[in-house]
Amino acid sequence: MNQIKFNLSDKTSKKITPDMVGLFFEDINFAADGGLYAELLENRSFEAVKSKGENHNYVLKEDSLYAWKSDCGKDDKLEISINDAICEKNPHYLRFTADKAGEGFTNKAYDGISLIKGKKYKISYYAREVNYPEGSVKVSVTKDGKTYGYVTIAFNNGKNPPKEWMDTINVVCDTKEWQKYEAEFTAEADIKGALFDLSLTAPGSVEFDLISMIPEDAVAGVFRKDLFEALKGLKPSFLRFPGGCIVEGTSISRRYQWKNTVGALENRKINTNLWGEQGGNTIQAWETQDCHYMQSYGIGFYEYFLLCELLSSDKRVCQPLPVLNIGVACQFRTYQVVPMDSPKFQNYIQDALDLIEFANGPVTSHWGSLRARMGHPESFNLELLAIGNEQWESGVVNLGERYKAFEKAIHEVYPEIKCLGTAGPFVNHPFHTRAWDFYRKECEKNNKFAFAVDEHYYMAPDWLYDHVDFYDNYPRDVAVFAGEYAGHDANLSNSVESALAEAAMMTGMERNGDLVQFASYAPLFNRIGHSQWTPDLIWFDADKVVFTPNYYVQQLFSEYAGVQALELDGQEKALREKGIYISAVKTADGKKVLKIVNRNKEDADIELDFSGCAEVTTLAAKNGLARIPAPSAAINQDNSGNKAIKPEVMSNAKLCELRSVEASEVKTENLKVDGKITLKAKSFTVVKF
């Protein structure tokens, strides 16, 4: 066992932010639709598109009946129409004809619906009569011929007019107009992998659109409860959204446009998801399993702002941090840009100004009034705005000039907004250095030019261990935003080893907490069996949530944040030579906190000049020593260095199994410390006293 001496000083070295740890949300791995968004149905508005292709070469084809089938084998009874839709932004809807009572259609609902006995579920849809003079609509959840919950909903035809349409002169109901229906049912038993079934109780023809099924316990009627609680447990200080490459799109026309994501659901223009095209570092092919991956925008910009409020706690406020498109499509996937001398470029700047008005403006303003109509007359108190995702200066993209145009326009109207720049997707590339040189030079002339610069790194654990001092010698003139980072082990899995390397790196971030203002792990979510990228912070399926060791690292740094760094007098450098990584802080209530990583395969005793009671929390592998990650069949590196596999090698579900989360546990004890703390092998330990 290693014996290590450590002298903890009472001297503080610098003020640091206690609000460094936050969240980065991008709709990848079914993080929104099929994930945090509580909607259980897939392609509820019949706007699905089949997307396939590879970089700079994509094919998109309408596939409006994706996820839907006739429940009696008569798919010709399902017709897609675009005549007089509810909203022309989403023009497709379904016309269904039943030849006899009881015929209907089903939705496969991602991997099937999971019900919990006694739990209530809300149903809604729009319907319009074609020829249905009698009968009702039955909605049920079924599997193998058995029903596990249902509700029968009266249909507003000429013989059953809605009450609000009846008056003293008996005006006849016009049932040839769209009407909204809402109901709920209670699950009669637990079930997994079931189908959603909608049927007519009499022969006839009816048109349907925006069919929805959401659990009654969805937070704010929007967010899946268990996934929301997983985020709440991190006590985040900010939420960066909506991406990521999602912001840019595979083309300018498919970019993320926030104005398409607000207002009534039926008016939100549904979009494809670039992560359904070719994939990321998992299954990669011309046509992937999840080639119908869409963005319904059930979670749009209003919901992101709302989520920030809901994630705020007594401990800290979760600040919204939107990311804006700067007229550039994803540089990894296309060369499309909007020229700065084009009138269209000004639309992007106006979108930024309008977003600030939507978030903060008075209810008398155009966009502030929309926020109020959506249910939030109060300001969302937006202070931070990221200009661009991970663009870099190139022969096609003039990043610096674009940033200048946005910053100038924003600060002329909203000088209080803190703008954040981007240093590109890699920290070990010359464009990263050039970007920093640009921001620092401009900040010498205007100290409000850039509040922070966003940098990303997905690196092997050894790189993180070797770069714990990464920020020690950074100039202090512009803050750092570590907007996307993760330890990528040899199998791209959520291993204890990757988590420990991240914890080690975060000790360096925390020691430099005067500089590193924000840090967020990426990606956030992974629906098991539908991965475009691993590792990820939280894994889940239809009815369970899996916390990764990486999640616990983020949680511990958030929970035990400090307001001042304590002087280490170079001891941290000597300890790194022994495989020990440490930070020491003083908390707002005057306590001291040590965060210590032991990357070694054996325990270590660390001698402290302290005796008394301490709160000691340890993260380690659940069953003995952490495994040594090694490449598996789930890794296939191509000639370009991309770690992705072909779909014919294995299924996405098998890939997730091979890259699965290593079991870990967190244990907190109140211990009597008599000058010594034992660090378990391959562990992360937090000591508060």
Side-chain angles (χ1 to χ4, degrees), residues 459-466 487-490 495 497-498 501 599 629:
M459 297 294 194
D462 282 347
W463 188 94
L464 297 178
Y465 285 128
D466 292 343
H488 281 194
D489 69 30
S495 61
E497 183 65 32
S498 68
R599 70 174 294 189

Side-chain angles (χ1 to χ4, degrees), residues 79 108 112-113 144 237 280 302 307 325 375 389 416 625:
E79 294 182 278
K108 74 181 186 68
I113 290 175
D144 300 330
S237 66
Y302 177 86
L307 181 59
N325 188 299
N389 168 44
E416 72 280 8
L625 193 64

Side-chain angles (χ1 to χ4, degrees), residues 145-257:
K146 184 177 179 180
T147 298
Y148 291 87
Y150 75 95
V151 61
T152 301
I153 305 166
F155 188 75
N156 295 330
N157 52 35
K159 294 184 178 181
N160 183 28
K163 292 180 181 179
E164 64 269 21
W165 286 14
M166 299 176 68
D167 61 19
T168 55
I169 57 174
N170 297 316
V171 174
V172 176
C173 166
D174 182 1
T175 62
K176 304 303 172 104
E177 297 297 324
W178 288 105
Q179 299 172 46
K180 187 174 183 179
Y181 296 80
E182 296 177 294
E184 69 177 28
F185 71 83
T186 301
E188 299 171 359
D190 294 345
I191 189 62
K192 297 179 181 180
L195 293 174
F196 173 91
D197 189 287
L198 189 153
S199 60
L200 304 185
T201 62
S205 184
V206 179
E207 293 171 336
F208 294 94
D209 203 358
L210 198 62
I211 306 172
S212 173
M213 178 177 174
I214 292 181
E216 186 187 46
D217 66 357
V219 177
V222 176
F223 307 108
R224 180 172 148 174
K225 185 179 180 181
D226 55 354
L227 296 181
F228 170 83
E229 290 175 345
L231 300 183
K232 186 83 171 178
L234 292 169
K235 298 182 177 66
S237 66
F238 66 88
L239 176 70
R240 175 180 179 245
F241 62 87
C245 295
I246 284 288
V247 172
E248 301 144 359
T250 54
S251 67
I252 291 294
S253 65
R254 293 287 167 175
R255 71 190 186 279
Y256 196 106
Q257 300 182 61

Side-chain angles (χ1 to χ4, degrees), residues 182-343:
E182 296 177 294
E184 69 177 28
F185 71 83
T186 301
E188 299 171 359
D190 294 345
I191 189 62
K192 297 179 181 180
L195 293 174
F196 173 91
D197 189 287
L198 189 153
S199 60
L200 304 185
T201 62
S205 184
V206 179
E207 293 171 336
F208 294 94
D209 203 358
L210 198 62
I211 306 172
S212 173
M213 178 177 174
I214 292 181
E216 186 187 46
D217 66 357
V219 177
V222 176
F223 307 108
R224 180 172 148 174
K225 185 179 180 181
D226 55 354
L227 296 181
F228 170 83
E229 290 175 345
L231 300 183
K232 186 83 171 178
L234 292 169
K235 298 182 177 66
S237 66
F238 66 88
L239 176 70
R240 175 180 179 245
F241 62 87
C245 295
I246 284 288
V247 172
E248 301 144 359
T250 54
S251 67
I252 291 294
S253 65
R254 293 287 167 175
R255 71 190 186 279
Y256 196 106
Q257 300 182 61
W258 75 264
K259 291 177 181 177
N260 287 339
T261 77
V262 295
L265 286 178
E266 58 268 25
N267 293 327
R268 301 184 186 186
K269 183 175 175 57
I270 295 170
N271 195 9
T272 54
N273 189 313
L274 61 75
W275 293 110
E277 301 164 12
Q278 191 180 12
N281 67 8
T282 59
I283 291 181
Q284 202 169 85
W286 176 257
E287 180 179 316
T288 69
Q289 163 195 307
D290 293 314
C291 57
H292 294 92
Y293 193 2
M294 302 289 291
Q295 299 176 84
S296 74
Y297 298 132
I299 296 178
F301 259 54
Y302 177 86
E303 287 76 21
Y304 283 122
F305 284 120
L306 182 62
L307 181 59
C308 289
E309 287 194 345
L310 294 170
L311 291 176
S312 295
S313 63
D314 293 339
K315 192 175 184 72
R316 59 175 60 90
V317 172
C318 180
Q319 296 187 80
L321 205 173
V323 183
L324 298 176
N325 188 299
I326 59 171
V328 178
C330 180
Q331 284 179 263
F332 287 109
R333 295 171 170 86
T334 180
Y335 299 121
Q336 285 190 14
V337 298
V338 176
M340 287 187 65
D341 57 2
S342 163

Side-chain angles (χ1 to χ4, degrees), residues 417-436:
I417 294 295
K418 297 175 180 176
C419 294
L420 285 71
T422 173
F426 312 118
V427 295
N428 54 353
H429 193 282
F431 57 53
H432 174 264
T433 302
R434 290 195 294 269
W436 269 106

